[in-house]
Amino acid sequence: MKSRKGTRTAAAVLAILALTATACSSKDDDDETTNPPAGASGSSGQVKTGAGVTASEIKVGELTDMSGPFAPLGKSVTNAEALYFKQINGQGGICGRQVKLEVKDHAYDPQKARTQYTELSGNVVGISQLIGSAIVTQLQDDIDREGILTLPQAWPSTLLGKKTIQVTATTYDVEIINGVSYLKRTANLAAGDKVGHIYADDEFGANSFAGAKYAAQAAGLSLVEQKIKPTDSDMTAAITALKSAGVKAIIVSASPRQVGPIMATSEAAGLKVPVLAHSVGFHPQLLAIPAVAGAMEQRLLVTSPVPSINSDLPTLTKLVADYTAEYPGQPIDQGVLSGFSTAAIFGEALKGACQAGDLTPAGVVAAHRKNAALDLGYGAKLDFSSPDKPPSYQTYILKVDKSKASGLATVEQAFEAPEAKTYTLPKAG
């Protein structure tokens, strides 16, 4: 017979899966030269154009997840990018052209993503959103060979080293190194203490684990690993193993569909230790589930390359207001900030290419790599000049706060742990 705790935990897992599942829309001739209208954003007279660019339009691709494990992130990112370019188009567009987004939902299916990439390639000037470490890894050689600027919604350091692929923030390994440094300080972890790490068996989990392993060794901690499949929902075995090992904290590198069950299962098992997760592993929908919400409020810490979107910064206050007006009733989560930021990064590359008189895919890549100090109005300036390094090594720490629309509040401003400075980034594949 199942215990009441077991029944409640199972119900919570089912609720998590139901919530996250519902969070879910001809080639141009190369080397043409056109003359944009005077006064257009980034206008510089005659401009060389190529794939995805006509005299009146710039096509930008998006390969997102609107119906798979990262659907909540995909929907928010896609909405936010559409908002950014709608505002840009309302101001006259870029180089006298309206930006049009070509959106495709791969549902985190690598085979489907490859087919969709083939459909987009040659018809867009670049890709402003590509969700999923596994998806980007599969396509990275094609992207680099075809020379189109691509901004992943994925941050493994193994994607570094490609001129055309831009990891837009701190990489997972560096982020978790910073996070472990904060966890050690705030959870009073001592040398010899055991820390668990539950991570997905994919590029995301592997890169995060590399950082956790380095951070644990530097801090004298013992890391107890539990590898899970990206599709797993039952976390009983992993939590049981970590409880038996006597861990004093848990690191999680997985999707919201798995972070929720981890919190519920550990709570039911009495393993009430601090949990450290990446921002891509949290979504405010989880706070609608009582068995999860309480545990998250008490024990969950979130590493993030950006502050909480609900921070009192003018840029973020305006973004929240604009997004709410454009998408009433839609969640305000960290994906909104990530999407708007990524669109702004891509928009700056398009403007720079226009100024240089070269709106071909190669011209957009070149313009992007000249941007060594982009200030988005919050956080550190971003340096995109080197393909071999992330644009930032800094991390924010967020904590669950149900009074915030995003469910998160900033508890530690951007910092870089000493261990992050001595860590050697994995060599690009």
Side-chain angles (χ1 to χ4, degrees), residues 137 140 155-162 171 173 203 207 426-429:
T137 299
Q140 63 179 333
W155 298 269
S157 58
T158 48
L159 293 179
L160 297 172
K162 305 287 188 182
T171 51
D173 45 3
E203 287 79 1
N207 192 236
K427 292 182 180 180

Side-chain angles (χ1 to χ4, degrees), residues 266-302:
S266 62
E267 189 77 7
L271 186 58
K272 300 181 180 183
V273 298
V275 176
L276 181 73
H278 294 274
S279 59
V280 294
F282 174 83
H283 195 273
Q285 288 181 340
L286 294 172
L287 299 181
I289 306 168
V292 176
M296 283 189 162
E297 284 186 282
Q298 293 297 318
R299 302 191 282 116
L300 184 65
L301 295 169
V302 176

Side-chain angles (χ1 to χ4, degrees), residues 382-398:
L382 301 174
D383 181 358
F384 300 119
S385 60
S386 173
D388 300 322
K389 296 179 181 179
S392 171
Y393 280 75
Q394 296 193 332
T395 298
Y396 293 81
I397 303 296
L398 315 181

Side-chain angles (χ1 to χ4, degrees), residues 69-105:
F70 290 98
L73 172 67
K75 186 168 185 177
S76 296
V77 169
T78 302
N79 285 348
E81 290 209 3
L83 173 63
Y84 172 84
F85 285 113
K86 180 180 179 179
Q87 293 177 346
I88 288 294
N89 287 339
Q91 298 165 8
I94 295 176
C95 225
R97 297 163 171 83
Q98 296 286 288
V99 179
K100 180 182 178 182
L101 296 177
E102 299 284 341
V103 181
K104 294 182 180 294
D105 173 21

Side-chain angles (χ1 to χ4, degrees), residues 174-327:
V174 172
E175 185 174 277
I176 215 67
I177 290 170
N178 290 332
V180 169
S181 174
Y182 178 84
L183 187 64
K184 182 185 178 187
R185 172 164 50 89
T186 58
N188 298 315
L189 298 177
D193 285 346
K194 294 181 179 179
V195 174
H197 190 185
I198 303 175
Y199 63 98
D201 185 15
D202 57 15
E203 287 79 1
F204 162 36
N207 192 236
S208 180
F209 178 70
K213 185 176 180 180
Y214 181 85
Q217 290 175 342
L221 303 172
S222 177
L223 197 63
V224 182
E225 62 178 291
Q226 289 292 304
K227 188 185 296 186
I228 59 175
K229 295 178 181 178
T231 53
D232 287 346
S233 58
D234 185 351
M235 298 296 144
T236 304
I239 293 300
T240 299
L242 295 185
K243 184 178 180 180
S244 297
V247 302
K248 294 189 176 180
I250 300 172
I251 302 165
V252 180
S253 309
S255 72
R257 290 186 181 185
Q258 296 172 313
V259 173
I262 287 168
M263 298 304 301
T265 305
S266 62
E267 189 77 7
L271 186 58
K272 300 181 180 183
V273 298
V275 176
L276 181 73
H278 294 274
S279 59
V280 294
F282 174 83
H283 195 273
Q285 288 181 340
L286 294 172
L287 299 181
I289 306 168
V292 176
M296 283 189 162
E297 284 186 282
Q298 293 297 318
R299 302 191 282 116
L300 184 65
L301 295 169
V302 176
T303 62
S304 174
V306 292
S308 165
I309 192 173
N310 297 123
S311 301
D312 294 329
L313 295 170
T315 304
L316 301 186
T317 301
K318 182 179 184 305
L319 174 56
V320 170
D322 291 347
Y323 190 87
T324 301
E326 185 71 18
Y327 305 106

